[in-house]
Amino acid sequence: MSLTTITATNPRIYLEPYMKLKLLLISLISFGILGCNSEEEKRQSTFIGGEIVNPKSKFFILSKNNTILDTLYLNQNNQFGKYFEGLEEGIYRFNHPPENQILYLQPGDSILIWLNTLAFDESINFSGEGAKKSDFLLDLYLANQDESQMILSYYKYHPEEFSKKIDSIYRTKNKQINKLIQKKDYSEKFIEIARAGINYQYYHFKERYAFLTRKYFKELAQEIPEDFHDYRKNINFESENLNTYYVYTNFIDDYFRTKAIERCDPKLPPSDDCFDLNSIRNISYKIILADSLISNPEIKNSYYDRLGSQGITFSQKIETIDSVINLLEETNYDKGKLNKLKQMAEVQKSLLPGNNIGNLPLSNVKGDTIRLKEISDKPTITYHWSMASKNHFFWQQNIIDNLRKKYPEVDFVGINIDNNTHADWAEIVKAQTRKPGMEFHLTFSRIDRDLLKAYLNKTFFIDAGGEIIRGSSQLNSKSFEREILEFLNRYN
Protein backbone atom coordinates (compact mmCIF):
# COMPACT_ATOMS: atom_id res chain seq x y z
CA MET A 1 0.00 0.00 0.00
CA SER A 2 1.35 3.41 -0.97
CA LEU A 3 2.10 5.85 1.83
CA THR A 4 1.70 8.92 -0.37
CA THR A 5 -1.09 10.73 -2.11
CA ILE A 6 0.09 13.51 -4.37
CA THR A 7 -2.18 15.88 -6.28
CA ALA A 8 -1.10 18.01 -9.20
CA THR A 9 -2.04 21.25 -7.50
CA ASN A 10 -0.91 20.42 -4.00
CA PRO A 11 1.86 17.77 -3.73
CA ARG A 12 1.23 16.98 -0.07
CA ILE A 13 2.39 13.62 1.26
CA TYR A 14 -0.27 12.10 3.53
CA LEU A 15 0.13 9.49 6.27
CA GLU A 16 -1.74 6.23 6.43
CA PRO A 17 -3.84 5.67 9.60
CA TYR A 18 -1.26 3.41 11.24
CA MET A 19 1.32 6.17 11.09
CA LYS A 20 -1.09 8.54 12.81
CA LEU A 21 -1.67 5.87 15.45
CA LYS A 22 2.10 5.85 15.97
CA LEU A 23 1.94 9.59 16.56
CA LEU A 24 -0.80 9.06 19.12
CA LEU A 25 1.42 6.56 20.94
CA ILE A 26 4.26 9.12 20.91
CA SER A 27 1.87 11.58 22.51
CA LEU A 28 0.84 9.11 25.23
CA ILE A 29 4.48 8.28 25.99
CA SER A 30 5.31 11.96 26.21
CA PHE A 31 2.36 12.55 28.51
CA GLY A 32 3.61 9.78 30.80
CA ILE A 33 7.14 11.14 30.88
CA LEU A 34 5.98 14.63 31.67
CA GLY A 35 3.51 13.65 34.33
CA CYS A 36 -0.26 13.62 34.59
CA ASN A 37 -2.03 16.92 34.19
CA SER A 38 -5.51 17.70 35.47
CA GLU A 39 -8.25 18.38 32.91
CA GLU A 40 -8.17 22.07 33.78
CA GLU A 41 -4.38 22.22 33.31
CA LYS A 42 -4.72 20.50 29.95
CA ARG A 43 -7.27 23.09 28.83
CA GLN A 44 -4.85 25.90 29.65
CA SER A 45 -1.67 24.23 28.40
CA THR A 46 -0.55 23.41 24.85
CA PHE A 47 1.18 20.19 23.91
CA ILE A 48 3.60 20.00 20.96
CA GLY A 49 5.29 16.75 20.02
CA GLY A 50 6.13 14.48 17.14
CA GLU A 51 8.75 12.66 15.16
CA ILE A 52 11.30 13.75 12.54
CA VAL A 53 12.48 11.19 9.99
CA ASN A 54 15.99 11.65 8.58
CA PRO A 55 16.74 14.51 10.98
CA LYS A 56 19.33 17.09 9.90
CA SER A 57 19.93 18.27 13.46
CA LYS A 58 19.09 17.11 16.97
CA PHE A 59 16.54 19.72 17.92
CA PHE A 60 13.16 21.29 17.21
CA ILE A 61 12.90 25.04 17.86
CA LEU A 62 9.65 26.86 18.60
CA SER A 63 9.51 30.64 18.14
CA LYS A 64 7.05 33.52 17.86
CA ASN A 65 7.61 37.03 16.52
CA ASN A 66 11.25 36.16 15.77
CA THR A 67 11.86 35.23 19.43
CA ILE A 68 12.87 31.66 20.33
CA LEU A 69 10.53 30.25 23.00
CA ASP A 70 12.11 26.84 23.51
CA THR A 71 14.41 24.22 22.02
CA LEU A 72 13.24 20.60 22.22
CA TYR A 73 15.90 17.94 21.74
CA LEU A 74 15.11 14.73 19.84
CA ASN A 75 15.40 11.47 21.75
CA GLN A 76 17.01 8.28 20.43
CA ASN A 77 13.89 7.63 18.32
CA ASN A 78 13.98 11.15 16.84
CA GLN A 79 10.88 12.07 18.85
CA PHE A 80 10.15 15.12 20.97
CA GLY A 81 7.31 16.49 23.09
CA LYS A 82 6.48 19.06 25.75
CA TYR A 83 3.62 20.87 27.46
CA PHE A 84 3.76 24.65 27.19
CA GLU A 85 2.05 26.99 29.60
CA GLY A 86 0.84 30.48 28.77
CA LEU A 87 1.17 30.34 24.97
CA GLU A 88 -0.97 32.99 23.32
CA GLU A 89 -3.16 32.15 20.36
CA GLY A 90 -1.59 32.88 17.00
CA ILE A 91 0.99 31.95 14.37
CA TYR A 92 4.19 30.26 15.57
CA ARG A 93 7.25 29.14 13.67
CA PHE A 94 9.07 25.87 14.16
CA ASN A 95 12.61 25.23 12.95
CA HIS A 96 14.46 22.01 12.37
CA PRO A 97 17.64 23.60 11.02
CA PRO A 98 18.03 24.37 8.24
CA GLU A 99 14.27 24.10 7.52
CA ASN A 100 11.31 25.94 9.01
CA GLN A 101 7.52 26.20 8.72
CA ILE A 102 4.58 27.78 10.55
CA LEU A 103 1.82 26.33 12.72
CA TYR A 104 -1.19 27.79 14.52
CA LEU A 105 -1.61 27.32 18.26
CA GLN A 106 -4.07 28.22 20.99
CA PRO A 107 -4.40 27.08 24.62
CA GLY A 108 -5.73 23.54 24.88
CA ASP A 109 -4.30 22.38 21.55
CA SER A 110 -2.39 19.11 21.42
CA ILE A 111 -0.42 19.15 18.17
CA LEU A 112 1.52 16.19 16.83
CA ILE A 113 3.93 16.75 13.94
CA TRP A 114 5.39 14.09 11.66
CA LEU A 115 7.80 15.05 8.89
CA ASN A 116 10.54 13.69 6.69
CA THR A 117 13.39 16.09 5.92
CA LEU A 118 13.81 14.54 2.44
CA ALA A 119 10.61 16.40 1.47
CA PHE A 120 10.23 18.78 4.39
CA ASP A 121 7.20 20.94 3.55
CA GLU A 122 5.41 18.30 1.48
CA SER A 123 5.75 15.59 4.13
CA ILE A 124 4.55 17.57 7.16
CA ASN A 125 1.48 16.05 8.80
CA PHE A 126 -0.30 17.64 11.74
CA SER A 127 -2.67 15.62 13.91
CA GLY A 128 -4.30 15.95 17.29
CA GLU A 129 -6.61 18.51 18.87
CA GLY A 130 -6.38 21.81 16.98
CA ALA A 131 -4.34 20.42 14.07
CA LYS A 132 -6.83 21.42 11.37
CA LYS A 133 -5.80 25.06 11.72
CA SER A 134 -2.15 24.33 10.99
CA ASP A 135 -3.20 21.94 8.22
CA PHE A 136 -5.13 24.68 6.46
CA LEU A 137 -2.23 27.16 6.64
CA LEU A 138 0.22 24.55 5.35
CA ASP A 139 -2.04 23.61 2.43
CA LEU A 140 -2.35 27.31 1.66
CA TYR A 141 1.44 27.66 1.70
CA LEU A 142 1.95 24.75 -0.71
CA ALA A 143 -0.76 26.05 -3.03
CA ASN A 144 0.81 29.51 -2.97
CA GLN A 145 4.18 28.02 -3.94
CA ASP A 146 2.66 26.30 -6.97
CA GLU A 147 0.61 29.33 -7.99
CA SER A 148 3.58 31.68 -7.73
CA GLN A 149 5.32 29.63 -10.44
CA MET A 150 2.20 29.27 -12.55
CA ILE A 151 1.29 32.95 -12.30
CA LEU A 152 4.57 33.97 -13.95
CA SER A 153 3.07 32.90 -17.28
CA TYR A 154 0.19 35.36 -16.82
CA TYR A 155 2.13 38.61 -16.81
CA LYS A 156 1.90 39.19 -20.55
CA TYR A 157 -1.88 38.95 -20.40
CA HIS A 158 -4.15 41.98 -20.70
CA PRO A 159 -5.10 43.28 -17.21
CA GLU A 160 -8.71 42.13 -17.66
CA GLU A 161 -7.65 38.59 -18.59
CA PHE A 162 -5.09 38.48 -15.78
CA SER A 163 -7.76 39.55 -13.28
CA LYS A 164 -10.09 36.77 -14.44
CA LYS A 165 -7.35 34.19 -13.84
CA ILE A 166 -6.49 35.25 -10.32
CA ASP A 167 -10.11 36.02 -9.39
CA SER A 168 -10.91 32.38 -10.12
CA ILE A 169 -8.10 31.22 -7.79
CA TYR A 170 -9.30 33.68 -5.14
CA ARG A 171 -12.91 32.43 -5.27
CA THR A 172 -11.81 28.79 -4.98
CA LYS A 173 -9.77 29.49 -1.87
CA ASN A 174 -12.60 31.43 -0.25
CA LYS A 175 -14.92 28.48 -0.81
CA GLN A 176 -12.37 26.28 0.96
CA ILE A 177 -12.16 28.51 4.03
CA ASN A 178 -15.96 28.82 4.15
CA LYS A 179 -16.28 25.01 4.19
CA LEU A 180 -13.66 24.79 6.92
CA ILE A 181 -15.49 27.32 9.09
CA GLN A 182 -18.81 25.48 8.67
CA LYS A 183 -17.29 22.23 9.95
CA LYS A 184 -16.05 23.62 13.26
CA ASP A 185 -16.35 26.67 15.48
CA TYR A 186 -12.95 28.32 14.97
CA SER A 187 -11.87 31.44 16.85
CA GLU A 188 -12.32 34.86 15.27
CA LYS A 189 -8.55 35.36 15.36
CA PHE A 190 -7.85 32.20 13.35
CA ILE A 191 -10.55 33.05 10.80
CA GLU A 192 -9.05 36.53 10.43
CA ILE A 193 -5.57 35.11 9.80
CA ALA A 194 -6.81 32.38 7.44
CA ARG A 195 -8.76 34.92 5.37
CA ALA A 196 -5.77 37.27 5.44
CA GLY A 197 -3.61 34.48 4.02
CA ILE A 198 -5.98 34.26 1.05
CA ASN A 199 -6.50 38.00 0.62
CA TYR A 200 -2.87 39.06 0.83
CA GLN A 201 -1.73 36.39 -1.61
CA TYR A 202 -4.33 37.77 -4.04
CA TYR A 203 -3.04 41.32 -3.46
CA HIS A 204 0.52 40.01 -3.85
CA PHE A 205 -0.29 38.72 -7.35
CA LYS A 206 -1.77 42.08 -8.31
CA GLU A 207 1.27 43.99 -7.07
CA ARG A 208 3.62 41.66 -8.97
CA TYR A 209 1.60 42.09 -12.16
CA ALA A 210 1.61 45.87 -11.81
CA PHE A 211 5.36 45.92 -11.18
CA LEU A 212 6.31 43.67 -14.11
CA THR A 213 4.03 45.36 -16.62
CA ARG A 214 5.25 48.83 -15.63
CA LYS A 215 8.84 47.72 -15.97
CA TYR A 216 8.73 45.42 -19.01
CA PHE A 217 5.34 45.71 -20.76
CA LYS A 218 4.58 49.40 -20.75
CA GLU A 219 1.70 49.21 -23.24
CA LEU A 220 -0.12 46.74 -21.00
CA ALA A 221 0.58 48.95 -17.98
CA GLN A 222 -1.33 51.76 -19.68
CA GLU A 223 -4.37 49.45 -19.76
CA ILE A 224 -4.46 48.80 -16.00
CA PRO A 225 -7.89 50.10 -14.84
CA GLU A 226 -8.21 52.74 -12.12
CA ASP A 227 -9.89 50.32 -9.71
CA PHE A 228 -7.15 47.64 -10.08
CA HIS A 229 -5.60 48.63 -6.74
CA ASP A 230 -8.78 49.46 -4.82
CA TYR A 231 -7.74 47.00 -2.10
CA ARG A 232 -4.90 49.36 -1.14
CA LYS A 233 -7.40 51.67 0.56
CA ASN A 234 -8.06 49.09 3.27
CA ILE A 235 -4.54 47.76 3.89
CA ASN A 236 -3.37 47.65 7.49
CA PHE A 237 0.39 48.16 7.27
CA GLU A 238 1.02 47.29 10.92
CA SER A 239 -1.04 44.23 11.81
CA GLU A 240 0.44 42.66 14.94
CA ASN A 241 -1.41 39.40 14.20
CA LEU A 242 0.19 39.16 10.76
CA ASN A 243 3.57 40.83 11.12
CA THR A 244 5.47 37.52 10.93
CA TYR A 245 3.14 35.81 8.43
CA TYR A 246 5.05 35.38 5.16
CA VAL A 247 2.00 36.12 2.97
CA TYR A 248 1.50 39.49 4.62
CA THR A 249 5.17 40.53 4.66
CA ASN A 250 5.61 39.44 1.02
CA PHE A 251 2.71 41.66 0.03
CA ILE A 252 4.06 44.70 1.90
CA ASP A 253 7.44 44.22 0.22
CA ASP A 254 5.72 44.02 -3.18
CA TYR A 255 3.67 47.10 -2.43
CA PHE A 256 6.78 49.14 -1.61
CA ARG A 257 8.50 47.80 -4.72
CA THR A 258 5.61 48.73 -7.03
CA LYS A 259 5.14 52.16 -5.48
CA ALA A 260 8.84 52.88 -5.99
CA ILE A 261 8.56 52.55 -9.78
CA GLU A 262 5.10 54.09 -10.16
CA ARG A 263 6.91 57.42 -10.10
CA CYS A 264 8.96 56.49 -13.18
CA ASP A 265 8.24 58.03 -16.55
CA PRO A 266 6.82 55.15 -18.68
CA LYS A 267 8.92 56.39 -21.60
CA LEU A 268 12.13 55.52 -19.77
CA PRO A 269 13.89 52.21 -20.58
CA PRO A 270 13.75 49.42 -17.92
CA SER A 271 17.49 49.82 -17.34
CA ASP A 272 17.05 53.40 -16.17
CA ASP A 273 18.01 54.14 -12.58
CA CYS A 274 14.35 54.76 -11.71
CA PHE A 275 13.54 51.10 -12.41
CA ASP A 276 16.56 49.80 -10.50
CA LEU A 277 15.18 48.48 -7.20
CA ASN A 278 18.59 48.70 -5.59
CA SER A 279 19.22 52.30 -6.55
CA ILE A 280 19.70 54.67 -3.65
CA ARG A 281 16.80 56.75 -4.97
CA ASN A 282 14.30 53.86 -4.79
CA ILE A 283 15.55 52.55 -1.47
CA SER A 284 15.39 56.01 0.07
CA TYR A 285 11.83 56.40 -1.24
CA LYS A 286 10.79 53.08 0.33
CA ILE A 287 12.34 54.05 3.68
CA ILE A 288 10.39 57.30 3.64
CA LEU A 289 7.22 55.42 2.60
CA ALA A 290 7.60 52.94 5.48
CA ASP A 291 8.15 55.83 7.87
CA SER A 292 4.91 57.50 6.74
CA LEU A 293 2.68 54.37 6.69
CA ILE A 294 3.81 52.48 9.78
CA SER A 295 3.75 53.67 13.37
CA ASN A 296 4.28 50.38 15.22
CA PRO A 297 8.00 50.51 16.21
CA GLU A 298 8.62 46.75 15.96
CA ILE A 299 7.10 46.44 12.48
CA LYS A 300 8.66 49.67 11.26
CA ASN A 301 12.10 48.56 12.48
CA SER A 302 11.79 45.26 10.59
CA TYR A 303 11.35 47.18 7.32
CA TYR A 304 14.16 49.57 8.18
CA ASP A 305 16.34 46.48 8.73
CA ARG A 306 15.66 45.08 5.28
CA LEU A 307 15.65 48.36 3.36
CA GLY A 308 18.71 49.69 5.14
CA SER A 309 20.76 46.52 4.60
CA GLN A 310 19.65 46.42 0.96
CA GLY A 311 20.67 50.03 0.42
CA ILE A 312 24.07 49.46 2.00
CA THR A 313 24.97 46.18 0.34
CA PHE A 314 24.13 47.42 -3.15
CA SER A 315 25.90 50.76 -2.78
CA GLN A 316 29.05 51.06 -4.87
CA LYS A 317 30.25 54.34 -3.44
CA ILE A 318 31.14 55.42 0.07
CA GLU A 319 28.91 58.48 -0.38
CA THR A 320 25.78 56.40 -1.06
CA ILE A 321 26.48 54.11 1.90
CA ASP A 322 26.72 57.16 4.14
CA SER A 323 23.50 58.60 2.67
CA VAL A 324 21.54 55.48 3.71
CA ILE A 325 22.85 55.71 7.27
CA ASN A 326 22.12 59.44 7.39
CA LEU A 327 18.53 58.88 6.22
CA LEU A 328 17.92 56.20 8.87
CA GLU A 329 19.35 58.48 11.54
CA GLU A 330 16.60 60.97 10.70
CA THR A 331 13.92 58.35 11.49
CA ASN A 332 13.09 56.80 14.86
CA TYR A 333 14.96 53.60 13.95
CA ASP A 334 16.03 51.52 16.94
CA LYS A 335 19.51 52.65 17.97
CA GLY A 336 20.81 49.14 18.60
CA LYS A 337 19.70 48.00 15.16
CA LEU A 338 21.12 51.16 13.60
CA ASN A 339 24.49 50.39 15.16
CA LYS A 340 24.42 46.94 13.50
CA LEU A 341 23.76 48.58 10.14
CA LYS A 342 26.64 50.95 10.79
CA GLN A 343 28.85 47.87 11.23
CA MET A 344 27.51 46.56 7.92
CA ALA A 345 28.23 49.93 6.31
CA GLU A 346 31.88 49.68 7.33
CA VAL A 347 32.07 46.11 6.01
CA GLN A 348 30.48 47.17 2.71
CA LYS A 349 33.04 49.95 2.34
CA SER A 350 35.72 47.26 2.52
CA LEU A 351 33.90 45.28 -0.21
CA LEU A 352 33.86 48.02 -2.83
CA PRO A 353 35.77 47.44 -6.10
CA GLY A 354 39.51 47.88 -5.67
CA ASN A 355 39.59 46.37 -2.19
CA ASN A 356 41.18 43.00 -1.53
CA ILE A 357 39.38 40.18 0.32
CA GLY A 358 41.88 37.44 -0.51
CA ASN A 359 42.65 36.78 3.16
CA LEU A 360 39.01 36.03 4.08
CA PRO A 361 39.12 32.79 6.16
CA LEU A 362 36.71 30.05 5.07
CA SER A 363 36.13 26.43 6.07
CA ASN A 364 36.02 23.64 3.46
CA VAL A 365 34.08 20.36 3.71
CA LYS A 366 37.08 18.64 5.34
CA GLY A 367 37.04 21.20 8.15
CA ASP A 368 40.26 22.91 7.07
CA THR A 369 40.56 26.70 7.10
CA ILE A 370 41.55 28.20 3.79
CA ARG A 371 41.98 31.77 2.54
CA LEU A 372 39.78 32.90 -0.34
CA LYS A 373 42.81 33.71 -2.52
CA GLU A 374 44.12 30.15 -2.03
CA ILE A 375 41.07 28.50 -3.58
CA SER A 376 41.76 29.23 -7.23
CA ASP A 377 44.24 30.86 -9.60
CA LYS A 378 41.43 31.58 -12.09
CA PRO A 379 39.10 34.59 -12.30
CA THR A 380 36.58 33.86 -9.53
CA ILE A 381 32.96 34.72 -8.86
CA THR A 382 31.64 34.16 -5.34
CA TYR A 383 27.97 33.56 -4.65
CA HIS A 384 26.35 33.34 -1.23
CA TRP A 385 23.62 31.12 0.12
CA SER A 386 21.64 30.02 3.14
CA MET A 387 19.49 26.94 3.67
CA ALA A 388 17.11 29.20 5.62
CA SER A 389 16.11 30.43 2.14
CA LYS A 390 15.54 26.98 0.68
CA ASN A 391 13.82 27.88 -2.60
CA HIS A 392 16.42 30.54 -3.30
CA PHE A 393 19.18 28.00 -2.60
CA PHE A 394 17.87 25.43 -5.12
CA TRP A 395 17.20 28.11 -7.73
CA GLN A 396 20.72 29.44 -7.21
CA GLN A 397 22.36 26.01 -7.50
CA ASN A 398 20.66 25.37 -10.86
CA ILE A 399 21.93 28.67 -12.25
CA ILE A 400 25.47 28.07 -10.97
CA ASP A 401 25.57 24.55 -12.48
CA ASN A 402 24.66 25.98 -15.89
CA LEU A 403 27.16 28.82 -15.62
CA ARG A 404 29.98 26.41 -14.75
CA LYS A 405 29.31 24.51 -17.98
CA LYS A 406 29.21 27.68 -20.08
CA TYR A 407 32.22 29.41 -18.50
CA PRO A 408 34.81 26.77 -17.46
CA GLU A 409 37.49 29.49 -17.38
CA VAL A 410 35.77 30.97 -14.29
CA ASP A 411 35.66 29.34 -10.86
CA PHE A 412 32.32 29.83 -9.10
CA VAL A 413 32.83 29.66 -5.33
CA GLY A 414 29.89 29.17 -2.96
CA ILE A 415 30.02 30.76 0.49
CA ASN A 416 27.43 29.69 3.04
CA ILE A 417 26.52 32.31 5.68
CA ASP A 418 24.56 30.08 8.09
CA ASN A 419 25.50 29.92 11.73
CA ASN A 420 25.18 26.13 11.90
CA THR A 421 27.82 23.60 12.83
CA HIS A 422 30.45 22.51 10.33
CA ALA A 423 29.08 18.94 10.30
CA ASP A 424 25.51 20.07 9.46
CA TRP A 425 26.76 22.41 6.72
CA ALA A 426 29.09 19.78 5.22
CA GLU A 427 26.26 17.23 5.09
CA ILE A 428 24.03 19.66 3.18
CA VAL A 429 26.84 20.53 0.76
CA LYS A 430 27.60 16.89 -0.03
CA ALA A 431 23.91 16.07 -0.55
CA GLN A 432 22.69 19.17 -2.35
CA THR A 433 25.54 20.61 -4.42
CA ARG A 434 27.33 19.32 -7.53
CA LYS A 435 30.84 20.52 -6.62
CA PRO A 436 31.39 20.23 -2.84
CA GLY A 437 35.05 21.11 -3.35
CA MET A 438 34.04 24.63 -4.41
CA GLU A 439 31.71 25.19 -1.45
CA PHE A 440 32.88 26.96 1.72
CA HIS A 441 31.48 28.04 5.05
CA LEU A 442 31.96 31.52 6.47
CA THR A 443 33.63 30.84 9.81
CA PHE A 444 34.09 34.40 10.96
CA SER A 445 31.95 37.49 10.60
CA ARG A 446 32.08 40.97 12.07
CA ILE A 447 28.37 41.55 11.59
CA ASP A 448 25.11 39.89 12.60
CA ARG A 449 24.39 36.76 10.53
CA ASP A 450 20.81 37.91 9.90
CA LEU A 451 22.12 41.06 8.25
CA LEU A 452 24.33 38.95 5.99
CA LYS A 453 21.15 37.68 4.32
CA ALA A 454 21.18 40.93 2.38
CA TYR A 455 24.17 39.52 0.45
CA LEU A 456 22.33 36.42 -0.80
CA ASN A 457 21.53 37.97 -4.18
CA LYS A 458 24.96 39.51 -4.65
CA THR A 459 28.05 38.10 -6.30
CA PHE A 460 31.66 39.28 -6.17
CA PHE A 461 33.97 39.15 -9.17
CA ILE A 462 37.53 38.84 -7.89
CA ASP A 463 40.88 38.25 -9.54
CA ALA A 464 43.33 35.50 -8.60
CA GLY A 465 44.89 37.70 -5.92
CA GLY A 466 41.59 38.46 -4.20
CA GLU A 467 41.01 41.99 -5.52
CA ILE A 468 37.33 42.88 -6.04
CA ILE A 469 36.68 43.82 -9.66
CA ARG A 470 32.90 44.04 -9.47
CA GLY A 471 30.75 43.89 -6.35
CA SER A 472 27.20 44.75 -7.40
CA SER A 473 26.21 41.94 -9.78
CA GLN A 474 23.16 39.75 -9.21
CA LEU A 475 22.53 36.21 -10.46
CA ASN A 476 19.00 37.11 -11.56
CA SER A 477 20.12 40.14 -13.57
CA LYS A 478 19.57 39.99 -17.34
CA SER A 479 23.02 41.51 -17.76
CA PHE A 480 24.83 38.94 -15.59
CA GLU A 481 26.37 36.93 -18.43
CA ARG A 482 27.42 40.09 -20.22
CA GLU A 483 29.18 41.12 -17.00
CA ILE A 484 30.94 37.73 -16.89
CA LEU A 485 32.23 38.26 -20.45
CA GLU A 486 33.43 41.77 -19.57
CA PHE A 487 35.18 40.28 -16.54
CA LEU A 488 36.93 37.66 -18.68
CA ASN A 489 38.01 40.24 -21.24
CA ARG A 490 40.32 41.68 -18.61
CA TYR A 491 42.40 38.49 -18.84
CA ASN A 492 42.55 38.20 -22.64
Side-chain angles (χ1 to χ4, degrees):
M1 186 184 299
S2 172
L3 289 177
T4 63
T5 301
I6 301 178
T7 65
T9 57
N10 190 356
R12 183 91 176 274
I13 300 173
Y14 289 92
L15 295 178
E16 292 289 347
Y18 76 82
M19 186 62 76
K20 292 193 174 183
L21 176 61
K22 183 178 179 181
L23 276 176
L24 180 59
L25 291 174
I26 295 170
S27 175
L28 293 173
I29 292 169
S30 298
F31 278 36
I33 292 172
L34 296 168
C36 297
N37 290 29
S38 68
E39 288 302 315
E40 178 60 28
E41 287 174 329
K42 288 179 182 178
R43 283 195 293 270
Q44 297 303 315
S45 63
T46 306
F47 179 81
I48 302 172
E51 179 179 352
I52 299 176
V53 178
N54 298 310
K56 297 296 184 183
S57 54
K58 282 297 181 182
F59 40 85
F60 172 100
I61 302 169
L62 183 69
S63 61
K64 184 173 176 58
N65 296 333
N66 299 316
T67 300
I68 293 176
L69 301 180
D70 206 345
T71 299
L72 308 184
Y73 288 87
L74 307 186
N75 66 15
Q76 66 273 19
N77 297 316
N78 298 326
Q79 300 163 358
F80 61 94
K82 181 179 177 179
Y83 281 109
F84 290 85
E85 306 295 335
L87 292 187
E88 297 178 356
E89 179 181 358
I91 291 177
Y92 289 75
R93 181 169 297 278
F94 65 89
N95 292 62
H96 176 67
E99 308 276 9
N100 67 87
Q101 190 48 263
I102 62 171
L103 72 163
Y104 194 92
L105 298 173
Q106 63 188 95
D109 282 350
S110 181
I111 305 296
L112 297 165
I113 304 167
W114 185 94
L115 65 88
N116 187 329
T117 63
L118 298 181
F120 189 89
D121 295 319
E122 294 79 7
S123 72
I124 294 173
N125 276 265
F126 298 104
S127 62
E129 182 66 30
K132 291 294 184 184
K133 302 186 291 291
S134 296
D135 253 337
F136 180 83
L137 296 183
L138 178 60
D139 284 339
L140 193 61
Y141 169 83
L142 293 171
N144 288 346
Q145 295 295 101
D146 290 342
E147 290 158 6
S148 291
Q149 295 302 314
M150 177 183 65
I151 214 79
L152 287 174
S153 63
Y154 296 167
Y155 288 117
K156 294 182 182 179
Y157 289 7
H158 187 277
E160 184 178 347
E161 190 177 1
F162 173 81
S163 293
K164 286 180 181 178
K165 294 282 188 183
I166 64 168
D167 285 350
S168 174
I169 295 172
Y170 181 67
R171 286 192 297 270
T172 299
K173 288 183 178 179
N174 272 300
K175 287 179 183 178
Q176 291 172 344
I177 184 63
N178 289 336
K179 286 182 181 179
L180 184 72
I181 293 169
Q182 290 171 3
K183 290 180 179 179
K184 192 170 181 179
D185 185 23
Y186 291 102
S187 70
E188 290 184 8
K189 187 171 184 178
F190 171 72
I191 294 172
E192 175 196 350
I193 288 175
R195 289 198 184 281
I198 295 170
N199 291 339
Y200 281 103
Q201 184 70 8
Y202 175 70
Y203 305 156
H204 162 72
F205 288 151
K206 287 207 159 192
E207 293 294 337
R208 287 180 68 186
Y209 177 83
F211 171 80
L212 290 172
T213 53
R214 282 187 169 88
K215 186 168 183 178
Y216 299 113
F217 312 113
K218 292 182 171 52
E219 291 183 5
L220 282 179
Q222 301 304 309
E223 300 295 323
I224 294 177
E226 291 184 4
D227 62 354
F228 189 80
H229 292 300
D230 274 0
Y231 58 86
R232 286 179 174 178
K233 300 172 185 175
N234 302 314
I235 297 301
N236 177 0
F237 288 91
E238 47 188 357
S239 171
E240 293 187 357
N241 288 339
L242 301 173
N243 68 339
T244 57
Y245 191 13
Y246 72 93
V247 179
Y248 176 74
T249 56
N250 286 349
F251 162 74
I252 301 297
D253 286 343
D254 283 330
Y255 171 82
F256 286 161
R257 183 177 67 171
T258 307
K259 291 291 288 184
I261 69 166
E262 282 180 356
R263 306 166 299 117
C264 301
D265 185 334
K267 297 176 183 178
L268 293 173
S271 58
D272 185 84
D273 178 66
C274 188
F275 290 95
D276 180 2
L277 295 177
N278 298 312
S279 71
I280 188 62
R281 178 163 53 156
N282 276 344
I283 289 171
S284 296
Y285 175 78
K286 287 187 278 188
I287 289 174
I288 294 169
L289 190 62
D291 191 54
S292 66
L293 292 174
I294 304 170
S295 58
N296 182 294
E298 181 180 350
I299 298 174
K300 183 179 286 192
N301 282 327
S302 70
Y303 285 103
Y304 287 156
D305 288 345
R306 293 207 295 277
L307 294 170
S309 60
Q310 181 185 0
I312 289 168
T313 56
F314 283 96
S315 291
Q316 290 302 290
K317 295 181 181 178
I318 291 175
E319 294 78 13
T320 55
I321 296 173
D322 290 339
S323 69
V324 173
I325 295 297
N326 292 338
L327 179 58
L328 288 171
E329 284 182 328
E330 294 174 5
T331 68
N332 57 353
Y333 187 33
D334 179 85
K335 298 302 180 185
K337 293 178 178 291
L338 179 58
N339 286 336
K340 285 186 178 181
L341 280 189
K342 287 181 176 179
Q343 294 175 38
M344 175 179 277
E346 293 307 309
V347 170
Q348 179 61 20
K349 289 175 183 179
S350 71
L351 296 175
L352 297 178
N355 290 317
N356 193 297
I357 56 173
N359 286 320
L360 180 70
L362 302 167
S363 175
N364 63 18
V365 290
K366 297 177 181 178
D368 301 324
T369 298
I370 186 171
R371 304 286 176 179
L372 180 58
K373 65 182 179 182
E374 298 169 349
I375 295 172
S376 172
D377 56 5
K378 293 182 181 180
T380 299
I381 297 176
T382 69
Y383 62 95
H384 317 96
W385 59 274
S386 168
M387 276 303 293
S389 302
K390 185 178 65 174
N391 291 334
H392 180 272
F393 168 69
F394 291 126
W395 165 84
Q396 190 180 46
Q397 289 296 315
N398 287 332
I399 291 179
I400 293 298
D401 287 342
N402 289 329
L403 290 173
R404 281 176 171 149
K405 294 174 184 176
K406 293 177 72 173
Y407 303 100
E409 60 271 59
V410 177
D411 270 335
F412 292 87
V413 173
I415 300 178
N416 176 267
I417 66 166
D418 293 332
N419 196 23
N420 49 7
T421 66
H422 177 270
D424 290 338
W425 165 78
E427 183 179 352
I428 293 166
V429 163
K430 291 172 184 176
Q432 305 287 357
T433 63
R434 299 275 179 87
K435 294 191 72 173
M438 296 304 287
E439 294 290 342
F440 299 86
H441 189 208
L442 187 63
T443 56
F444 169 76
S445 175
R446 288 178 283 164
I447 59 175
D448 189 283
R449 295 268 177 167
D450 286 337
L451 293 177
L452 283 174
K453 292 176 183 177
Y455 286 91
L456 293 181
N457 286 320
K458 288 193 66 174
T459 61
F460 290 98
F461 292 39
I462 63 175
D463 66 15
E467 180 181 334
I468 299 172
I469 307 302
R470 182 188 288 271
S472 59
S473 299
Q474 299 181 75
L475 275 176
N476 60 350
S477 168
K478 290 186 175 181
S479 63
F480 190 71
E481 291 197 49
R482 174 178 56 78
E483 292 166 358
I484 292 176
L485 293 173
E486 290 174 354
F487 179 47
L488 289 173
N489 284 338
R490 293 172 56 92
Y491 299 91
N492 294 333

